[in-house]
């Protein structure tokens, strides 16, 4: 089996454990395409997996990288959607930090003509996560208000744009330094979470009604305020537990009085049919809007993939606005 170059984890630990090495080049199976990767992008999940905390799903590549953009290099049996040479991007269960990756033909999408490979690589994970949270789980409707925590994060920047395009009113929490950036993407209000608790400014912004949907990554420290911020029939979509997962004292009657839906969410562990359905639903909504500029990838910094360790240090420093991309060569 011919080898390819890939970023490997020497042993679980810090960013210094990442190094360029040799790995077996994947072979496309039934309905799969082999893609020569031009770019991949970082996600928080990569840092967790590097530390040994987030194993890939059964059968997935152990190599980091949940998304990629590149050129179709080889077709597996039964592939009808693509030809060798096509420019594609898409979500992966793993394997993006490598010269080649395989992807199911229905998980791959055509790169809009106005976007570079580097820009396209910044799209799949955050936009699909945000679309799943807003549309499929939060069931956001036009005119509703959506509170998006970590507004300048990768998923946050995608969620602001998607909520805006769905006709909803996105408001966000973020740091003071990233406030104007969130507003420029379409957030109608941006609250500095370091300055004060967000509950009173959110209630003030909604004339005391509260918000219909909350997209949250922080969990325990925000949980009570999130419930207090929600309007009647409100939906709280929990995407991560970055601040901790244990809530000490919680009165379940709050859910009943306001008829609140509490929705836990993952994407990587979903089955292929679900992921294909989500990808195709997002594509029909997003591809025309990417082409005309209503939606755009948000790229903070680009690193050469040989600088993967440096890129990991950067994402863990919490300075970034939007996505960090690795160019693969």
């Amino acid at each position: 089996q011919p080898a390819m170059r890939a970023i490997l984890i020497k042993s679980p630990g810090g960013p210094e454990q990442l190094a360029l090495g040799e790995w077996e080049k994947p072979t496309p199976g039934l309905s799969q395409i082999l893609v020569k990767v031009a770019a991949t992008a970082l996600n928080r999940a990569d840092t967790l997996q590097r530390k040994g905390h987030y194993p890939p799903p059964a059968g997935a590549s152990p190599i980091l990288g949940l998304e990629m953009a590149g050129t179709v290099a080889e077709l597996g049996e039964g592939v009808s959607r693509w030809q060798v040479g096509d420019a594609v991007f898409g979500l992966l269960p793993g394997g993006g930090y490598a010269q080649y990756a395989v992807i199911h033909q229905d998980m791959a999408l055509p790169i809009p003509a106005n976007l570079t490979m580097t820009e396209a690589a910044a799209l799949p994970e955050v936009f699909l996560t945000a679309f799943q949270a807003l549309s499929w789980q939060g069931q956001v409707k036009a005119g509703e208000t959506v509170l998006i925590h970590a507004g300048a994060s990768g998923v946050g920047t995608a969620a602001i744009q998607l909520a805006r395009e769905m006709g909803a009113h996105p408001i966000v929490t973020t740091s003071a330094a990233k406030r104007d950036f969130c507003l420029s993407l379409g957030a109608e209000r941006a609250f500095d979470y370091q300055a004060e608790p967000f509950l009173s400014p959110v209630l003030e912004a909604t004339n005391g009604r509260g918000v219909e949907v909350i997209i949250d990554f922080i969990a325990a420290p925000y949980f009570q305020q999130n419930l207090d911020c929600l309007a009647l029939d409100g939906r709280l979509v929990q995407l991560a537990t970055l601040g901790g997962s244990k809530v000490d004292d919680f009165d379940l009657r709050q859910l009943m009085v306001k008829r609140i839906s509490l929705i836990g969410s993952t994407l990587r562990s979903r089955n292929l049919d679900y992921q294909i359905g989500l990808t195709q639903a997002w594509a029909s909504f997003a591809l025309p809007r990417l082409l005309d500029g209503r939606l755009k990838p948000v790229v903070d910094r680009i690193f050469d993939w040989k600088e993967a360790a440096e890129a990991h240090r950067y994402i863990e420093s919490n300075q970034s606005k939007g996505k960090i991309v690795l160019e693969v060569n």
Side-chain angles (χ1 to χ4, degrees):
Q1 184 69 17
M4 64 172 179
R5 291 190 302 162
I7 301 291
L8 307 177
I9 303 167
K10 289 180 281 191
S11 62
E16 73 284 348
Q17 297 296 332
L18 299 175
L20 202 55
E22 296 266 301
W23 196 256
E24 193 180 308
K25 183 177 166 184
T27 310
L30 183 68
S31 301
Q32 290 183 328
I33 53 176
L34 180 72
V35 178
K36 185 173 195 311
V37 178
T40 184
L42 269 65
N43 291 284
R44 290 278 170 183
D46 303 350
T47 66
L48 293 174
Q49 188 174 330
R50 187 201 72 223
K51 293 172 186 168
H53 302 323
Y54 191 37
S61 171
I63 294 168
L64 296 177
L66 300 179
E67 55 199 330
M68 60 80 209
T71 309
V72 178
E74 196 184 316
L75 307 180
E77 197 188 326
V79 171
S80 53
R81 285 183 89 119
W82 303 104
Q83 294 178 312
V84 170
D86 286 345
V88 297
F89 71 110
L91 188 74
L92 301 169
Y97 291 25
Q99 286 181 309
Y100 292 91
V102 291
I103 186 170
H104 190 283
Q105 65 168 347
D106 298 333
M107 288 293 291
L109 296 172
I111 297 180
N114 57 327
L115 298 184
T116 64
M117 294 272 187
T118 303
E119 290 170 322
L123 293 168
E125 176 69 33
V126 295
F127 271 93
L128 286 167
T129 298
F131 185 80
Q132 173 185 245
L134 289 165
S135 179
W136 283 24
Q137 294 169 320
Q139 301 193 353
V140 171
K141 297 179 248 328
E144 292 187 327
T145 302
V146 184
L147 172 60
I148 299 158
H149 291 303
S153 66
V155 177
T157 57
I160 290 169
Q161 297 182 68
L162 287 170
R164 185 197 73 212
E165 287 300 312
M166 290 169 182
H169 304 288
I171 62 177
V172 303
T173 59
T174 187
S175 62
K178 299 175 183 178
R179 200 176 159 272
D180 289 345
F181 173 71
C182 291
L183 296 172
S184 76
L185 291 173
E188 295 180 12
R189 304 285 293 274
F191 306 116
D192 177 5
Y193 67 90
Q194 292 159 328
E196 62 169 336
F198 57 83
L199 176 60
S200 53
V202 166
L203 289 176
E204 193 187 327
T206 56
N207 298 316
R209 195 186 71 249
V211 299
E212 281 78 19
V213 178
I214 298 177
I215 308 294
D216 181 54
F217 314 87
I218 311 300
Y222 280 13
F223 188 67
Q224 190 59 56
Q225 284 191 83
N226 280 338
L227 295 187
D228 293 341
C229 275
L230 279 169
L232 207 55
D233 297 310
R235 289 84 76 195
L236 169 56
V237 184
Q238 199 67 54
L239 294 182
T241 55
L242 296 176
S245 59
K246 297 276 198 324
V247 177
D248 287 342
D249 192 18
F250 160 46
D251 185 349
L252 281 161
R253 281 176 305 182
Q254 283 192 277
L255 298 186
M256 295 157 69
V257 170
K258 286 190 182 177
R259 304 190 296 262
I260 286 170
S261 301
L262 176 56
I263 303 157
S265 177
T266 60
L267 181 50
R268 192 183 193 182
S269 58
R270 299 270 188 183
N271 67 36
L272 181 64
D273 284 348
Y274 178 96
Q275 294 198 10
I276 288 171
L278 181 67
T279 294
Q280 297 300 330
W282 176 72
S284 59
F285 183 86
L287 289 177
R289 288 173 167 86
L290 286 162
L291 198 54
D292 67 18
R294 284 175 287 169
L295 292 175
K296 59 175 200 274
V298 180
V299 177
D300 179 276
R301 271 183 76 177
I302 300 163
F303 290 84
D304 184 275
W305 71 324
K306 294 179 206 61
E307 300 167 345
E310 188 53 41
H312 272 236
R313 275 189 278 273
Y314 181 60
I315 197 173
E316 290 181 312
S317 75
N318 292 326
Q319 299 170 66
S320 53
K321 301 193 291 269
K323 293 287 287 188
I324 301 160
V325 179
L326 298 179
E327 290 186 330
V328 177
N329 46 47

